[in-house]
């Protein structure tokens, strides 16, 4: 993305090795100008109080709180890309992060070596959408059975267009963007655009419900819910 | 228990008040005529008054036919000499005259009551009041023509003469208590009797009351004798039915007293022969009295049968008193007390009935019976209400017990569920640990060995570690309780594995039937088994086959789902040791799933096929 002004990046990661590795990686990445790294929620909060980064990378499990808090703070700025750092890209955490306002996630495995590609990919279409997340999204649009405080999604106006639903269905079955594009007779870029829109819509529209659903799932699997 | 005493006190006060309130014509200035001249007129209804020189005989009043002329049937003239009547409305009051009477004055009939032709209407218990013409002279003679039949206490009681206002209250008082009041007791008795009889018949435990109900009905019908003036039956038959009714009442009441005592007092056993004997008694009285052909015949057997009846009645009353003495319940004491009262008044009435010289008395037993009957009915009502209350309480306590049971059941279910959940979790944990031990653990050991070995390349190490990550992801995927149908599981697996294929420049094709129909939800265990089989097949194709294209597919054949992994590599030899062990593990997992795993391998085409069982047979959660 050479035509863009250089980005400033906020990295929130409590594991020292990972943080240092990522900082080094980001410094090598073209288009990244400044990198600020924090290890705690409070440090990130303080920093965000005075700065507006272009990109935020955050882990979810921080020693003094949840990374979702960082996502919410950063998501107040529409121009800011908020990415979750996830070990497996496991869906429960990623979904909660998306609902908090994240626009994508990065998987902390060897594939991050090419973080430049990832960032470019995020710019054009958000993170890859896993089948599991896609299916969760489909379920959510189909069943407006939500707690009282959450507005029913499919009530007045369907949240997703038919095309977006088709894309989601294809991804949900485990097909790649390219395969989905072939099946639906559209370009891979169009699929990416749909996916990006999906992230946006979901981040804006279903926070309360997603949090409820996430917490429900946490409770069912015996883990602590996110406040 | 103050209520019975209050009732008793009120009853006594009531009787005293009634006694004091009774109008006395003598005090009001009327005079009683206690003598008359009498002339028997035979069986033909006279249309003319007798002449003055007829064979009049002086007689004191009351003149009771049974005493003076037993068996006489027909008409009798009574001549009365009137005193000076200087009043506005001179009136003649006949408190006791039977059956019917006509009044003649100066050779003219001035009034009559009921039908005078034989058989005369039965007004033997009806007081009469005749107004006389104004200006009747002192010493004037009034003739009364009285019609009667034997056995009915016919005749003439002392006659009152005086002012209308002095006599009318006395007449009204007597008419009320003798006629209207008796009718009220009849209605009450039949009503009470029917009600009690129905309950006694329907409720086995209160069977004794059925006898009482029947007795009271008979009693009430029998008392119609006092108020029915023109019976629907021949006169004699009616009279005899009344007698039979008295006997039957006595008999039925005796059976009631017996059964009631037995029911109330567990220790009491009455004479076994009594009910049968009573039945015989009822039959004999019915046959004896109803077969009478005339009034004279009807007297036959009356004395012994009546004596037996009185004895039965005395026994019943004694029985009830004895019961009250033994059980000492307020209601039984009340029954005994009212029984004594009843019996005393019954004896009194019996004395009046058999007194062939007196006339014009009140009969009291129809009133005396009411307290007894009400006392007995009250016990039934109380028992009935008690039973109702018990039933209500029982229902309430039953509801409460059911609720408690339900709650206990719910609690034990909850415990069971908790235990089950715990067990499920424990099993899941054990399975996951076993799986991680076998897959991830093995790969980690390999990675460790590679890292320590000088020969192993970093690429090989990275490859092994990638295996570790894949193992872990698959294990995590199998835990998602909402992603347990084969399509979701395999779709996610494909998504996980695709980058590894792509990084090696291979293609991982993914074929899904467009219409898979209803997909079964697998259990966590089954999910992991399915994922591990396919993952193993994919990894083998990736690492060992040398294939360019690898495909996985999910389709439906009939009721079954078929999962296939194929490649265009060099194929494998199932007999070789390592391959064999790998296939063995996959076979194991497939049979745990309830499915079958087959393979077909030759150079250029290898297909591994897993057929899942019918949806209903897949091990689900």
């Amino acid at each position: 993305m050479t035509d863009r002004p250089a980005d400033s990046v906020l990295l929130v990661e409590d594991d020292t090795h990972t943080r240092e590795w990522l900082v080094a990686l980001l410094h090598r990445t073209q288009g990244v100008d400044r990198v600020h790294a924090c290890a705690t929620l409070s440090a990130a909060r303080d920093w965000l109080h005075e700065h507006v980064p272009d990109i935020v990378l955050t882990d979810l499990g921080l020693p003094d709180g949840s990374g979702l808090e960082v996502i919410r703070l950063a998501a107040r700025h529409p121009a800011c890309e908020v990415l979750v750092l996830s070990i497996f890209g496991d869906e429960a955490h990623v979904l909660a992060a998306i609902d908090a306002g994240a626009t994508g996630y990065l998987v902390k495995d060897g594939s991050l070596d090419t973080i430049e590609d990832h960032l470019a990919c995020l710019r054009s279409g958000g993170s890859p959408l896993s089948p599991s997340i896609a299916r969760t999204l489909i379920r959510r649009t189909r069943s407006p059975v939500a707690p009282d405080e959450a507005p029913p999604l499919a009530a007045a106006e369907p949240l997703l267009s038919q095309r977006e639903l088709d894309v989601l269905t294809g991804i949900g079955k485990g097909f790649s963007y390219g395969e989905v594009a072939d099946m639906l007779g559209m370009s891979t870029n169009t699929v990416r655009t749909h996916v990006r829109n999906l992230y946006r819509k979901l981040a804006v529209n279903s926070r309360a419900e997603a949090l409820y659903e996430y917490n429900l799932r946490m409770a069912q699997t015996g883990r602590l819910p996110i406040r | 228990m103050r209520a019975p005493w209050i009732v008793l006190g009120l009853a006594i006060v009531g009787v005293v008040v009634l006694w004091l309130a009774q109008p006395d014509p003598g005090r009001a200035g009327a005079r009683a005529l206690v003598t008359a001249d009498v002339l028997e007129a035979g069986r033909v209804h006279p249309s003319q008054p007798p002449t003055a020189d007829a064979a009049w005989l002086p007689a004191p009043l009351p003149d009771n036919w049974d005493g003076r002329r037993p068996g006489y049937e027909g008409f009798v003239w009574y001549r009365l000499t009137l005193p000076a009547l200087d009043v506005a409305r001179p009136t003649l009051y006949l408190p006791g005259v039977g059956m019917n009477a006509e009044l003649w004055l100066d050779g003219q009939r001035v009034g009559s009551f009921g039908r005078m032709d034989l058989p005369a209407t039965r007004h033997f218990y009806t007081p009469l009041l005749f107004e006389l013409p104004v200006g009747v002279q002192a010493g004037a003679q009034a003739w009364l023509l009285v019609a009667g039949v034997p056995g009915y206490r016919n005749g003439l009681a002392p006659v009152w003469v005086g002012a209308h206002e002095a006599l009318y209250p006395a007449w009204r008082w007597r008419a009320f208590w003798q006629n209207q009041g008796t009718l009220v007791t009849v209605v009450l008795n039949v009503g009470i009797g029917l009600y009690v009889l129905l309950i006694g018949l329907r409720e086995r435990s209160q069977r004794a009351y059925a006898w009482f109900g029947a007795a009271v009905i008979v009693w009430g019908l029998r008392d119609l004798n006092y108020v029915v003036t023109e019976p629907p039956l021949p006169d004699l038959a009616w009279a005899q039915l009344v007698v039979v009714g008295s006997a039957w009442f006595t008999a039925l009441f005796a059976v009631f007293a017996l059964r009631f005592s037995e029911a109330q007092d567990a220790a009491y056993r009455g004479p076994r022969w009594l009910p049968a004997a009573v039945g015989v008694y009822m039959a004999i009285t019915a046959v004896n009295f109803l077969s009478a052909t005339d009034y004279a015949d009807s007297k036959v057997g009356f004395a012994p049968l009546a004596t037996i009846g009185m004895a039965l009645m005395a026994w019943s009353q004694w029985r009830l008193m004895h019961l009250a003495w033994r059980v000492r319940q307020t209601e039984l004491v009340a029954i005994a007390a009212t029984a004594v009262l009843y019996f005393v008044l019954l004896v009194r009435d019996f004395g009046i009935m058999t007194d062939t010289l007196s006339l014009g008395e009140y009969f009291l037993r129809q009133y005396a019976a009411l307290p007894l009957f009400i006392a007995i009915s009250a016990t039934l009502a109380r028992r009935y209400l008690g039973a109702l209350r018990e039933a209500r309480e029982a229902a309430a306590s039953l509801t409460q017990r059911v609720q408690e049971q339900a709650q206990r059941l719910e609690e034990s279910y909850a415990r069971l569920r908790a235990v089950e959940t715990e067990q499920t979790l424990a099993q899941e944990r054990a399975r996951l640990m076993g799986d991680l031990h076998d897959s991830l653990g093995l790969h980690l050991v390999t990675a460790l060995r590679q890292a320590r070995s000088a020969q192993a390349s970093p690429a090989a190490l990275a490859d092994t570690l990638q295996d570790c990550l894949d193992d872990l992801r698959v294990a995590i995927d199998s835990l998602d309780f909402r992603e347990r149908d084969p399509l979701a599981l395999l779709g996610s697996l494909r998504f996980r594995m695709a980058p590894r294929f792509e990084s090696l420049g291979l293609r991982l094709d993914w074929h899904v039937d467009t219409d898979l129909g209803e997909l079964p939800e697998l259990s966590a265990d089954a999910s992991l088994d399915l994922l591990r089989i396919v993952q193993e097949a994919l990894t083998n194709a990736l690492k060992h086959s040398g294939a360019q294209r690898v495909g996985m597919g999910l389709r439906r054949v009939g009721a079954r789902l078929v999962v296939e992994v194929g490649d265009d590599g060099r194929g494998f030899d199932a007999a070789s040791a390592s391959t064999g062990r790998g296939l063995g593990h996959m076979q194991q997992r497939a049979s745990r799933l309830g499915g079958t795993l087959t393979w077909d391998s030759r150079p250029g085409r290898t297909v591994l096929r897993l057929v899942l069982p019918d949806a209903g047979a897949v091990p689900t959660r």
Side-chain angles (χ1 to χ4, degrees):
Chain A
M1 292 288 163
T2 48
D3 55 334
R4 283 174 53 92
D7 291 327
S8 72
V9 176
L10 169 65
L11 172 68
V12 188
E13 166 64 64
D14 60 322
D15 180 63
T16 317
H17 289 293
T18 312
R19 190 171 65 243
E20 284 170 358
W21 169 63
L22 280 171
V23 167
L25 214 60
L26 286 167
H27 274 308
R28 288 204 304 273
T29 305
Q30 200 176 359
V32 173
D33 181 31
R34 283 157 288 139
V35 177
H36 182 83
C38 327
T40 62
L41 171 62
S42 55
R45 206 191 274 138
D46 290 346
W47 192 85
L48 278 171
H49 203 61
E50 293 174 1
H51 303 85
V52 178
D54 298 302
I55 297 170
V56 174
L57 298 179
T58 181
D59 197 1
L60 284 181
L62 297 175
D64 58 342
S66 168
L68 294 177
E69 180 77 31
V70 178
I71 299 172
R72 278 190 211 105
L73 287 172
R76 289 180 189 166
H77 310 292
C80 183
E81 295 280 354
V82 186
L83 307 178
V84 186
L85 290 167
S86 165
I87 296 176
F88 303 119
D90 71 304
E91 280 68 22
H93 288 96
V94 171
L95 275 171
I98 290 172
D99 291 325
T103 49
Y105 61 95
L106 292 178
V107 180
K108 286 188 265 184
D109 62 7
S111 60
L112 258 193
D113 288 343
T114 53
I115 199 165
E116 198 172 340
D117 296 343
H118 272 276
L119 291 182
C121 170
L122 286 169
R123 286 288 183 207
S124 69
S127 303
L129 201 54
S130 81
S132 174
I133 292 176
R135 285 192 297 269
T136 305
L137 299 182
I138 292 172
R139 269 201 296 277
R140 216 184 264 177
T141 55
R142 277 188 191 153
S143 59
V145 187
D148 293 338
E149 66 265 24
L153 279 173
E157 198 182 326
L159 177 63
L160 304 180
S161 71
Q162 185 58 46
R163 227 43 184 151
E164 285 165 340
L165 260 182
D166 292 341
V167 169
L168 267 185
T169 307
I171 294 171
K173 285 180 180 175
F175 293 111
S176 67
Y177 285 6
E179 286 165 334
V180 171
D182 286 347
M183 283 189 282
L184 296 178
M186 55 175 75
S187 72
T188 309
N189 268 338
T190 314
V191 173
R192 282 186 198 286
T193 309
H194 280 310
V195 171
R196 187 178 172 76
N197 287 342
L198 286 171
Y199 272 113
R200 290 276 179 212
K201 282 184 179 183
L202 294 164
V204 173
N205 280 294
S206 59
R207 227 157 271 182
E209 191 212 8
L211 194 61
Y212 167 81
E213 199 168 296
Y214 174 79
N215 282 345
L216 186 70
R217 203 189 273 213
M218 291 292 103
Q220 276 163 346
T221 48
R223 285 174 280 177
L224 281 178
I226 298 170
R227 303 266 169 239
Chain B
M1 296 303 287
R2 292 220 305 272
W5 298 111
I6 292 173
V7 170
L8 184 63
L10 284 177
I12 290 173
V13 167
V15 167
V16 169
V17 166
L18 282 178
W19 189 257
L20 293 176
Q22 185 182 11
D24 180 1
R27 216 181 310 151
R31 279 188 55 193
L33 306 179
V34 293
T35 57
D37 296 324
V38 180
L39 179 66
E40 293 180 7
R43 292 182 54 87
V44 179
H45 184 194
S47 54
Q48 291 292 320
T51 53
D53 56 355
W56 291 95
L57 291 174
L61 298 180
D63 177 65
N64 186 325
W65 290 12
D66 287 336
R68 296 280 168 74
R69 50 192 74 81
Y72 183 80
E73 181 176 359
F75 298 86
V76 172
W77 285 102
Y78 292 88
R79 190 173 63 192
L80 305 165
T81 305
L82 300 177
L85 289 170
D86 191 15
V87 291
R89 295 170 68 187
T91 300
L92 196 67
Y93 166 44
L94 312 175
V97 58
M99 294 249 181
N100 266 335
E102 274 178 13
L103 176 64
W104 292 67
L105 214 62
D106 293 336
Q108 299 292 320
R109 187 195 289 127
V110 294
S112 76
F113 195 83
R115 189 180 64 230
M116 286 297 291
D117 298 314
L118 293 181
T121 47
R122 306 164 67 260
H123 288 99
F124 68 98
Y125 199 49
T126 308
L128 300 182
L129 191 73
F130 289 110
E131 281 201 50
L132 300 172
V134 182
V136 174
Q137 298 297 310
Q141 292 192 323
W143 291 278
L144 279 169
L145 179 64
V146 173
V149 292
Y152 266 96
R153 289 173 64 68
N154 296 304
L156 186 66
V159 176
W160 288 85
V161 289
H164 183 270
E165 57 270 26
L167 294 173
Y168 182 80
W171 171 82
R172 199 183 60 171
W173 181 269
R174 192 175 265 269
F176 174 78
W177 289 107
Q178 290 190 176
N179 302 117
Q180 289 97 312
T182 302
L183 190 58
V184 168
T185 66
V186 167
V187 172
L188 274 178
N189 283 332
V190 173
I192 289 175
L194 278 176
Y195 176 67
V196 173
L197 176 68
L198 283 179
I199 291 181
L201 287 179
R202 291 298 297 271
E203 183 54 50
R204 189 170 287 277
S205 66
Q206 309 291 346
R207 190 51 56 81
Y209 284 100
W211 294 101
F212 173 70
V216 171
I217 292 171
V218 169
W219 176 263
L221 294 175
R222 182 224 160 272
D223 275 354
L224 280 175
N225 185 42
Y226 296 112
V227 286
V228 170
T229 56
E230 196 152 8
L233 300 172
D235 218 45
L236 180 64
W238 174 262
Q240 296 306 86
L241 264 182
V242 169
V243 176
V244 172
S246 297
W248 280 34
F249 166 75
T250 307
L252 292 168
F253 195 81
V255 179
F256 161 72
L258 171 70
R259 296 280 182 245
F260 188 66
S261 300
E262 285 175 343
Q264 299 300 310
D265 182 357
Y268 174 72
R269 269 183 71 77
R272 294 294 88 198
W273 47 266
L274 186 69
V278 156
V280 171
Y281 173 70
M282 289 168 74
I284 288 176
T285 51
V287 170
N288 181 69
F289 291 119
L290 295 180
S291 68
T293 50
D294 57 35
Y295 282 105
D297 192 21
S298 72
K299 299 283 184 199
V300 175
F302 180 83
L305 288 173
T307 308
I308 294 175
M310 288 302 277
L312 268 179
M313 191 41 77
W315 179 83
S316 304
Q317 311 306 322
W318 174 83
R319 183 65 249 139
L320 292 176
M321 279 184 269
H322 191 71
L323 176 67
W325 181 256
R326 279 182 56 89
V327 181
R328 304 273 175 107
Q329 276 178 9
T330 315
E331 55 191 34
L332 296 182
V333 172
I335 289 176
T338 51
V340 170
L341 176 69
Y342 170 76
F343 191 64
V344 166
L345 293 175
L346 186 70
V347 170
R348 170 194 169 275
D349 281 7
F350 192 72
I352 290 169
M353 279 191 41
T354 50
D355 183 348
T356 55
L357 292 175
S358 71
L359 203 66
E361 300 90 340
Y362 285 100
F363 290 110
L364 290 178
R365 59 177 179 174
Q366 60 268 46
Y367 294 107
L370 276 184
L372 174 61
F373 294 172
I374 289 171
I376 292 172
S377 304
T379 64
L380 179 62
R382 227 175 90 169
R383 250 159 246 185
Y384 183 68
L385 291 177
L388 267 186
R389 194 173 50 240
E390 268 172 35
R392 252 199 317 273
E393 281 164 6
S397 86
L398 193 66
T399 311
Q400 195 189 346
R401 277 215 303 279
V402 166
Q403 274 170 352
E404 282 168 7
Q405 290 285 355
Q407 194 179 346
R408 233 170 282 149
L409 207 61
E410 179 58 40
E411 280 165 10
S412 74
Y413 268 127
R415 273 200 297 276
L416 207 61
R417 269 199 302 275
V419 169
E420 254 175 34
T421 310
E422 234 165 70
Q423 269 181 353
T424 310
L425 285 178
Q427 279 169 3
E428 216 160 81
R429 216 173 291 139
R431 168 193 62 87
L432 195 62
M433 279 164 64
D435 180 84
L436 289 179
H437 179 267
D438 291 345
S439 58
L440 184 63
L442 197 66
H443 283 136
L444 281 174
V445 168
T446 308
L448 198 60
R449 200 183 62 237
Q450 286 171 330
R452 282 182 179 151
S453 142
Q455 284 89 29
S457 69
L461 180 58
D463 203 39
T464 311
L465 287 174
Q466 186 65 52
D467 285 342
C468 292
L469 268 180
D470 288 344
D471 283 346
L472 206 51
R473 282 169 173 170
V474 164
I476 289 170
D477 278 350
S478 79
L479 287 176
D480 188 337
F481 70 98
R482 294 210 300 202
E483 299 277 329
R484 294 253 176 89
D485 68 76
L487 177 58
L489 290 165
L490 296 178
S492 288
L493 182 65
R494 195 264 176 151
F495 177 77
R496 304 268 183 242
M497 301 290 285
R500 288 192 71 181
F501 282 80
E502 279 160 23
S503 69
L504 292 176
L506 296 180
R507 276 182 61 178
L508 175 57
D509 292 332
W510 175 217
H511 308 283
V512 181
D513 263 5
T514 45
D515 183 22
L516 283 171
E518 192 74 12
L519 292 168
E521 291 280 323
L522 305 184
S523 68
D525 293 1
S527 299
L528 188 59
D529 283 330
L530 173 64
L531 286 175
R532 284 280 184 249
I533 291 170
V534 179
Q535 183 197 7
E536 178 84 16
L538 288 177
T539 312
N540 285 339
L542 182 73
K543 288 186 180 170
H544 309 302
S545 73
Q548 295 302 305
R549 296 181 69 153
V550 179
M552 56 189 280
L554 179 66
R555 59 195 171 90
R556 179 173 283 277
V557 178
R560 293 171 172 210
L561 283 174
V562 178
V563 182
E564 282 171 326
V565 178
D567 64 66
D568 58 356
R570 64 180 75 94
F572 59 81
D573 177 12
S576 85
S578 64
T579 315
R581 204 172 58 236
L583 285 173
H585 282 155
M586 289 159 83
Q587 282 278 29
Q588 246 175 22
R589 290 187 186 273
S591 68
R592 270 214 300 266
L593 267 172
T596 51
L597 184 73
T598 55
W599 54 85
D600 173 21
S601 183
R602 54 189 150 83
R605 187 172 181 279
T606 296
V607 178
L608 210 78
R609 185 174 295 117
L610 172 66
V611 179
L612 292 174
D614 290 350
V618 181
T620 55
R621 201 174 171 83

